[in-house]
């Protein structure tokens, strides 16, 4: 089993919709995660960190559920520009990435 | 701009030839990483470094070696390139301690024919 797993999608949603992605992890000792965003043929860039208390940044909310061993990313009021691949990252010295979830927002 | 550059950006090489990719940073960041990205697999760690001459293997290290003889450069070498090593290679650096975010280079597209 991979250490970090994601549904590859694609998630196709209309503008203005709310969409959520989950990422499951296998190591119960994991405490720190990131969400990265990657546009087509570009390098990944940090979207936000994931704290145990939850983290909100504008339309984006990230949460960590230790009991069920998953992290989530919620995007409200989706924009066309949110179309990208979202990567879940387990923050260890090795930085382990999930395979990514593709989001496509349509008009 | 985290001051990280990769070279070359694109390369086509023949099977069996050695290839070296370079990752250069302009600051003295301790952690550097090499990943490869392939459809359906996401980013997979090849090797990483936590200091000069300090390196460790990642998930897909077979067929690759690395060198970090000075802080600013992390080299990835394919000793004898194979078609299965056709991929996009990303270098990353950690800006700060081991729990801070990573910044990525723009990637190197390598094709082995």
């Amino acid at each position: 089993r991979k250490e970090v797993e994601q549904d590859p999608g694609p998630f196709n949603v209309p503008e203005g919709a709310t969409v959520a992605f989950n990422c499951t992890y296998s190591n119960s000792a994991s405490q720190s995660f990131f969400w990265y965003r990657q546009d087509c043929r570009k390098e990944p860039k940090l979207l936000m960190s994931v704290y145990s208390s939850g983290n909100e940044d504008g339309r984006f909310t990230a949460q960590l559920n230790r009991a069920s061993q998953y992290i989530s990313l919620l995007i409200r009021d989706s924009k066309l520009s949110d179309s990208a691949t979202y990567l879940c990252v387990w923050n260890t010295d090795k930085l382990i990435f999930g395979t990514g979830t593709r989001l496509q927002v349509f008009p | 701009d985290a001051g990280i550059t990769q070279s070359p950006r694109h390369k086509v090489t023949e099977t069996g030839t050695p290839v070296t990719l370079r990752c250069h940073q302009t600051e003295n960041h301790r952690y550097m990483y090499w990943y490869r990205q392939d459809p359906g697999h996401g980013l997979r760690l090849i090797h990483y470094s936590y200091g000069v001459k300090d390196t460790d293997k990642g998930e897909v290290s077979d067929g690759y070696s690395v060198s970090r003889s000075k802080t600013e450069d992390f080299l990835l070498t394919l000793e004898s390139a194979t078609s299965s090593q056709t991929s996009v290679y990303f270098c990353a650096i950690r800006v700060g301690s081991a729990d801070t975010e990573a910044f990525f280079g723009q990637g190197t597209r390598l094709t082995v024919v």
Side-chain angles (χ1 to χ4, degrees):
Chain A
R1 182 186 173 187
K2 287 183 70 68
E3 292 166 297
V4 178
E5 296 198 72
Q6 297 182 251
D7 181 343
F11 285 61
N12 296 305
V13 302
E15 277 186 290
T18 295
V19 62
F21 312 131
N22 285 343
C23 167
T24 59
Y25 59 93
S26 59
N27 189 325
S28 59
S30 305
Q31 296 191 42
S32 182
F33 296 87
F34 298 118
W35 281 105
Y36 273 71
R37 170 195 168 126
Q38 185 175 26
D39 294 299
C40 188
R41 303 177 82 85
K42 298 287 190 179
E43 73 273 22
K45 293 184 179 179
L46 180 71
L47 179 65
M48 58 198 309
S49 301
V50 185
Y51 306 127
S52 56
S53 57
N55 186 23
E56 185 172 321
D57 183 3
R59 298 183 293 108
F60 298 83
T61 300
Q63 294 202 312
L64 169 61
N65 185 313
R66 292 191 192 282
S68 300
Q69 292 185 213
Y70 73 88
I71 68 169
S72 63
L73 177 66
L74 180 76
I75 305 175
R76 290 178 296 277
D77 188 23
S78 297
K79 312 291 185 190
L80 295 176
S81 58
D82 293 334
S83 298
T85 296
Y86 291 84
L87 301 160
C88 166
V89 185
W90 175 23
N91 184 16
T92 73
D93 56 348
K94 290 188 175 185
L95 275 181
I96 305 298
F97 281 75
T99 53
T101 297
R102 178 90 178 95
L103 171 66
Q104 183 66 50
V105 181
F106 57 88
Chain B
D1 182 6
I4 178 171
T5 55
Q6 291 184 231
S7 59
R9 294 290 314 281
H10 301 272
K11 186 171 182 65
V12 179
T13 191
E14 292 185 348
T15 299
T17 60
V19 177
T20 294
L21 308 182
R22 181 187 185 222
C23 178
H24 178 77
Q25 60 158 320
T26 56
E27 308 288 338
N28 291 324
H29 300 302
R30 182 181 173 197
Y31 284 83
M32 299 184 76
Y33 301 80
W34 276 109
Y35 292 87
R36 62 177 288 174
Q37 186 170 35
D38 305 288
H41 291 279
L43 278 93
R44 293 182 291 175
L45 182 65
I46 304 171
H47 284 277
Y48 73 106
S49 171
Y50 44 95
V52 173
K53 294 189 179 2
D54 292 323
T55 65
D56 202 355
K57 296 179 180 180
E59 177 188 2
V60 290
S61 59
D62 287 348
Y64 302 93
S65 62
V66 289
S67 168
R68 190 155 179 214
S69 58
K70 48 185 178 177
T71 302
E72 59 265 36
D73 287 326
F74 192 32
L75 305 180
L76 177 70
T77 297
L78 290 66
E79 301 290 348
S80 178
T82 67
S83 58
S84 65
Q85 293 176 311
T86 292
S87 187
V88 179
Y89 291 84
F90 285 102
C91 175
I93 59 173
R94 291 254 206 184
V95 181
S97 63
D99 60 352
T100 54
E101 69 177 285
F103 288 89
F104 284 80
Q106 293 180 292
T108 295
R109 187 168 296 274
L110 176 68
T111 302
V112 184
V113 297

